[in-house]
Amino acid sequence: MVLTRDFKETVKERAARDPAFAKAMLDEAATAFLNGEPHIARLILRDLVNASVGFEALAAETNRPSKSLHRMLSEKGNPSMDNLAAIFGAVRKRLGVAIEAHVVEAA
């Protein structure tokens, strides 16, 4: 079966027009990171940055080169904690939300 639209473009457009969806993506990225899945968090963040802030604006806000940010959020990227905090901070600020972590009992 052939898809008629590119999945990444669909996600980008939905996040750009639906603030609740963008916030859910940020929540999912933070949750994935805190639960030991940094590779998933990076990919979600990459799609969210594309849909909300944009890599050029993110570079200006974080004082990091755009190409470096692209590499950090790639499948094999390895951003430092400082860089990851800056990226989460910029996206959080753009979406106008705060991030809170809550501990729950494991199933």
Side-chain angles (χ1 to χ4, degrees), residues 33 42 45 72-73 79-89:
F33 175 72
R42 284 191 310 272
L45 272 177
M72 287 179 212
L73 296 180
S80 69
M81 288 294 287
D82 289 345
N83 288 329
L84 199 54
I87 294 166
F88 270 111

Side-chain angles (χ1 to χ4, degrees), residues 23-49:
K23 291 172 187 174
M25 287 179 70
L26 180 61
D27 182 65
E28 191 64 29
T31 300
F33 175 72
L34 292 173
N35 283 320
E37 297 178 303
H39 57 288
I40 300 294
R42 284 191 310 272
L43 297 178
I44 294 169
L45 272 177
R46 181 185 63 203
D47 290 341
L48 186 54
V49 165

Side-chain angles (χ1 to χ4, degrees), residues 8 13-14 52-54 71 73 75 78 85 87-88 93 96-97:
K8 288 183 182 185
E13 289 174 11
R14 170 101 187 263
S52 61
V53 182
R71 280 191 298 273
L73 296 180
E75 193 168 337
N78 191 17
I87 294 166
F88 270 111
K93 182 178 169 185
V97 297

Side-chain angles (χ1 to χ4, degrees), residues 3-15:
L3 296 177
T4 57
R5 289 187 59 144
D6 181 48
F7 177 75
K8 288 183 182 185
E9 280 301 311
T10 301
V11 169
K12 179 180 175 181
E13 289 174 11
R14 170 101 187 263

Side-chain angles (χ1 to χ4, degrees), residues 50-79:
N50 274 321
S52 61
V53 182
F55 275 94
E56 293 302 321
L58 181 63
E61 189 159 335
T62 61
N63 295 317
R64 287 150 178 94
S66 176
K67 287 188 178 199
S68 293
L69 292 167
H70 275 282
R71 280 191 298 273
M72 287 179 212
L73 296 180
S74 71
E75 193 168 337
K76 295 187 186 228
N78 191 17

